Amino acid sequence: QVQLVESGGGLVQPGGSLRLSCAASGRIFSINAMGWYRQAPGKERELVVGITSGGRTNYADSVKGRFTISRDNAKNTMYLQMNSLKPEDTAVYYCNADVNYDNGRSLNAWGQGTLVTVSS
């Protein structure tokens, strides 16, 4: 089993910043692609940004220039720096990862989500 635990969500004013973290634990051999998704009330879950094990990124147009993804492969941890936050960024943010176990099996895993609320 693998666990993905997000942290760093909260309430922030428009124009503010937050930094989300996603820590993976368990019998992990390696992690391929990782990504941040979000789901706003009444909307479908959408990709915010993905990152490969080599650091290649793919941002949604709505967050380009404002959000920055990074990962620390040695710590099996991923981060999302969110700047210039807007009310429309309000959502539950989920961490996702393609995990390779030490027994040779692989799994796509999700975290439990962390709520980001952008409001004055």
Side-chain angles (χ1 to χ4, degrees), residues 43-90:
K43 295 188 177 181
E44 293 186 353
R45 191 173 298 189
E46 63 176 0
L47 175 67
V48 177
V49 56
I51 185 168
T52 67
S53 57
R56 184 174 298 177
T57 59
N58 177 34
Y59 289 89
D61 288 343
S62 59
V63 305
K64 282 180 181 176
R66 300 188 298 122
F67 291 10
T68 302
I69 191 172
S70 61
R71 61 188 286 177
D72 184 333
N73 292 332
K75 296 181 179 179
N76 291 328
T77 301
M78 176 177 64
Y79 306 95
L80 183 65
Q81 178 66 42
M82 304 186 294
N83 299 327
S84 302
L85 282 161
K86 304 175 181 179
E88 51 264 42
D89 294 318
T90 296

